Amino acid sequence: MRIGAHILGCAGPRLLPDEAAFFREAAPWGFILFARNIESADQIRALTTELRNAVGRDAPILIDQEGGRVQRLKPPLARSWHPPLDQARHAGEHAERSMFLRYRLIADELRDLGIDVNCAPLVDVATDVTHPFLLNRCYGTDAGSVTRIGRAVATGLVAGGVLPVVKHVPGHGRGTVDSHLGLPATDASPEDLKAQDFAPFAALADLPLGMTAHMVYSAYDGEHAATVSQRMIGLIRHEIGFDGLLMTDDLSMEALGGTMTDRTRAALAAGCDLILHCNGDLAEMREIAGQAGRFDAETEARAEAALRLRNAPEPIDIPAAEAELEALLQGRVYDID
């Protein structure tokens, strides 16, 4: 069976019979987990097995485990972390190494639970207007440091056997609206966007997976968010140079108008490879699956190339890594309130 051009979720901590039957038919490329899907380590391992069994293959399982506010796995299932921006600033000249270690440890936690894709690095460049929903999830306020830290994050994940997803292409840092609730926009010039916002994504264009931004860039397309803009997806592909597997940000967010059918059709017509739908609503997922269809040859090639990078973790001395990270941060990384 050809693979469906979507990534979907489920409603709770175990797969329901109706969900399993739907997934067998729809054959999504992968699945994404949220807090509603998480109870215990054994339960998560059972759920990831159920999801893969439903589609009859080793489907990728995604999660948002940035650390800080966006952290689906919490103690005792996983370490607790300060927001990325706080850690990067505190580590100073050691920011890259500290973030490599952070995400190498996160990868170890994810793989142990059957999760093999993490929606990071987030290389949106923070500005003085960045909305609070995003601000402390960023790595810095200049393209150079964000690029270097983003590369370290991706390298740490891959070393731990977890695929990275670079987000939010082509850059969300100028957004003053929470895209979960509305549609952010920027009127920055092409020159400023290329020098700051787009630069980290161009430097990390070799990463296997990317996630679009629900944001309007009026210098290029004043009507459509990047996710549903042919002009912006073309820019991502040809000017930024990203040729990996490109997924939308969550289509159930309120930044995009219209029905799920409208959103799905628009994103695919714009040039996205995959529809990401996160809320686990079965009726919405049926609607998306009916519109998204299956991979074409080009998308299938990108998907296969990404999964070829999903290797076994490299050896790591966990206590030594923890001790090095604690030394770099003077112990503060574990001083969580």
Side-chain angles (χ1 to χ4, degrees), residues 93-111:
E93 64 181 322
H94 304 295
E96 293 168 55
R97 179 62 180 172
S98 79
M99 293 292 272
F100 168 86
L101 291 167
R102 171 184 177 130
Y103 282 88
R104 179 62 185 86
L105 292 168
I106 287 174
D108 186 70
E109 295 169 338
L110 299 183
R111 282 288 299 227

Side-chain angles (χ1 to χ4, degrees), residues 66 81 88 127 152 154 156 177 181 222 229 242 246 254 285 314 337:
E66 299 173 6
W81 302 96
T127 72
V177 173
L181 305 175
S229 167
F242 181 78
L246 186 63
E254 294 305 316
M285 291 191 292
E314 298 173 6
D337 294 332

Side-chain angles (χ1 to χ4, degrees), residues 91-256:
E93 64 181 322
H94 304 295
E96 293 168 55
R97 179 62 180 172
S98 79
M99 293 292 272
F100 168 86
L101 291 167
R102 171 184 177 130
Y103 282 88
R104 179 62 185 86
L105 292 168
I106 287 174
D108 186 70
E109 295 169 338
L110 299 183
R111 282 288 299 227
D112 181 59
L113 299 172
I115 301 165
D116 54 13
V117 182
N118 192 12
C119 296
L122 182 151
V123 295
D124 304 316
V125 180
T127 72
D128 57 3
V129 300
T130 303
H131 191 279
F133 102 92
L134 185 70
L135 180 60
N136 65 8
R137 299 164 59 193
C138 297
Y139 304 154
T141 57
D142 67 278
S145 64
V146 169
T147 297
R148 292 189 295 272
I149 294 171
R151 177 65 71 183
V153 168
T155 302
L157 290 171
V158 172
V162 171
L163 292 181
V165 181
V166 64
K167 62 186 186 185
H168 304 87
V169 197
H172 211 302
R174 296 179 191 268
T176 59
V177 173
D178 182 347
S179 55
H180 295 85
L181 305 175
L183 179 59
T186 178
D187 59 2
S189 70
E191 293 75 21
D192 288 344
L193 289 168
K194 290 176 184 178
Q196 176 169 302
D197 306 70
F198 300 171
F201 295 97
L204 299 175
D206 60 306
L207 294 185
L209 300 165
M211 179 186 294
T212 62
H214 292 339
M215 182 161 169
V216 170
Y217 305 82
S218 60
Y220 295 92
D221 184 341
E223 297 183 13
H224 304 100
T227 300
V228 293
S229 167
Q230 292 184 24
R231 176 70 182 89
M232 294 308 298
I233 300 302
L235 180 147
I236 290 167
R237 291 299 193 194
H238 304 300
E239 296 184 36
I240 288 176
F242 181 78
D243 193 39
L245 194 65
L246 186 63
M247 68 187 72
T248 69
D249 203 345
D250 179 14
L251 282 203
S252 61
M253 292 163 63
E254 294 305 316
L256 303 180

